[in-house]
Amino acid sequence: MSSSNFSTSFELSSLGWNDSLAAELPAGLLPARVARVDRGAAEVLCADGHLQVHYSAHVRRAAAADPVALPCVGDWAALRRLPEGRFELEALLPRRTAFVRGGVGRVSRGGLSGDSQGQVLAANVDVVFVAEPALHSTDTADLGRIERLLALAWESGALPVVLVTKSDLVGDGLDFLMREVASAAPGVDVHAVCSVSGEGVDIVRGHLEGTRTAVVLGASGAGKSTLVNALAGEQVMETQQVRASDGRGRHTTVHRELIPLRDGGLVIDTPGIRRIGLYDMGEGVDMVFSDIEELAERCRFADCGHDSEPGCAVIAAIEDGSLPERRLESWNKLQREAAWMASRSDARLRKELQNKWKIIHKEMRKPGRNRP
Ligand SMILES: Nc1nc2c(ncn2[C@@H]2O[C@H](COP(=O)(O)OP(=O)(O)O)[C@@H](O)[C@H]2O)c(=O)[nH]1
Ligand SMILES: [Mg+2]
Ligand SMILES: [Zn+2]
């Protein structure tokens, strides 16, 4: 974050603070929004400005028991003022939305529920920008990556929006590309944006109205940080310099970071995600493939596998060209992955339960215990 922000204090409402959050703030503590985390400490934005705070023993204990309890970017935290004037991060307020990697964890009204050993990538995000660069060398985008990120976005509880970035690089191919991308994102807004000329940036900004928080996801080099700078109207994030030797960029964004925007709203920049595993994301996957789900309702058999069954509406749609075959393949793949991950987590849960019972049985076998 630019150092100019360091001294200024923040109007809490400009950080997304509202009455329902206020109702959950423990008495005597101060609200602050987590802008960035480093090992054991967080940078927060609050009425007292931009502060670095350490975690209380309570937070450290909770995080040791379950990493989901670790503060993450976007979290609302409650700070305790220590006698010497410093602050300590004493508690996290329940999360409205959360991206959880490698863990279970569905968001319910009371925050994350269920057993989980995941890592929260970002919390309290309203809008997810899935950034996919328009490349001049190939005319198609990585639709599979878009679908995967959309599943993650839906599952988090936030609203996804797809951004085809670097729209200046495709020229005439843009319309075709936009249609391709839209076919992978039913029910999702798809916009073209060029952060260099500023074209489309206002539409992106429109999604932040009402002091919403967005996160930008996408591969390294997709133009995420450049977009964040365009939204901010100043250079807040470093962007990749293209190396002259091989024309490839270097990774520059290493931290996830929450940036309050001058024009309102907040945006979280992220490092490129190499590969994010789906984890227990059945519903997120269903949302991404709502077009196939709808078709499937018209299959003759309720348990149609959309393979070679007679009366299959999905196969019929592929044959008449209204559904790209790639979509069905991608759906099968992501469903298999989600199911595999879910079964793995079940296995882990079963093992944990077994261990628990082993301990109880051992206790019961101890000498001196009454046995039936
Ligand atoms: N032509 C063009 N280049 C862009 C645009 N946005 C970003 N870039 C370039 O793409 C490269 C990667 O951008 P960066 O924002 O660092 O990507 P990130 O890794 O997703 O944060 C940089 O060299 C940018 O200058 C755009 O709209 N048009
Ligand atoms: Mg970046
Ligand atoms: Zn079918």
Side-chain angles (χ1 to χ4, degrees), residues 278-298:
L278 299 183
Y279 199 97
D280 198 12
M281 294 198 157
E283 282 175 45
V285 171
D286 290 352
M287 294 292 280
V288 179
F289 296 95
S290 57
D291 51 346
I292 303 183
E293 296 270 323
E294 242 167 65
L295 286 168
E297 279 170 25
R298 284 186 266 134

Side-chain angles (χ1 to χ4, degrees), residues 221 223-226 237-240 252-253 269-272:
K224 299 181 296 296
S225 299
T226 311
M237 297 301 298
E238 255 188 78
T239 57
Q240 297 185 15
T252 35
T253 313
D269 194 8
T270 63

Side-chain angles (χ1 to χ4, degrees), residues 166 168-169 194-196 219-226 239-240 242 253:
K166 309 192 190 184
D168 53 309
L169 295 181
C194 172
S195 304
V196 175
S220 175
K224 299 181 296 296
S225 299
T226 311
T239 57
Q240 297 185 15
V242 176
T253 313

